[in-house]
Amino acid sequence: MMRSLLVRGMLAGLIAGVLAFVFAYLFGEPSVNSAIGFEEAGSAEHSHTHDPAAGQAQDPGDEAQQPEAELVPRDIQSTVGLLTGVLVYGVAIGGLFSLAFAFVHGRIGSLRPRVTTALLTAGAFGVVFFVPFLKYPANPPAVGQPGTIGARTELYFGFVAVSLLAGILATVFGRKLADRLGAWRGGLLACAGYLVVMAVVAWLMPVIDEVPPTFPASTLWSFRTASVGTQVTLWLTLGLFFGFFAERVLKPSQKATAPAV
């Protein structure tokens, strides 16, 4: 049965990845193109103002600041590259989601597979994506300094790891509280505890704000809302399809439950 759930989880993740790609391509790529245009315009202006032919001395560091040639053309990045990345992410998330479902199903109450899937989807979306996004939101090209990429990546994934740990602990303690106080109160206290812990961690971790003052606010807003929309599409599709698959896998055989004649 575990193998069946894993295969169906990866299949649901694949379907979710396809729909997430469509959303990202339609609503996310226009803001990415706008950000790239802003970046290229800034680079061209910088090169013009430091042109030795214009009678000004060239900064020795300008050569290192010149944009490098693209290894992969932009049209490939926005189509095949984006599709490949989203599909790999979707399949991986689907497989991990099926493992998490197998662990929690039956341990958080006598719930139907669809209900367990819905609760797990909502919790995973918040813990894995939304809460970390509130602290370290996604940024389009031309936002952020090249020298801080490593530090920003470490901070983001570190925050995700803390969120996952806090979410797991909240689930464990919430189950124990539910036995004493009831499912509703136990669940609320567990969620409140998770939010308090993450609020403290977010307050302690460094703030990263490298958005250039001249960067268009509308482009930044469009990119971030498209990022949220892409994740919502992926997780919602994953939850709907996996819930359907899980019901079929875990549904008792009609033959086994039929009364003896």
Side-chain angles (χ1 to χ4, degrees), residues 159-207:
F159 195 78
V160 172
V162 174
S163 180
L164 278 171
L165 179 60
I168 293 173
L169 292 177
T171 302
V172 173
F173 285 107
R175 184 66 184 88
K176 294 181 178 180
L177 290 172
D179 293 336
R180 299 181 179 181
L181 305 176
W184 181 251
R185 292 183 179 179
L188 287 180
L189 287 175
C191 291
Y194 167 80
L195 292 176
V196 169
V197 170
M198 294 311 300
V200 172
V201 173
W203 178 67
L204 293 175
M205 292 188 72
V207 176

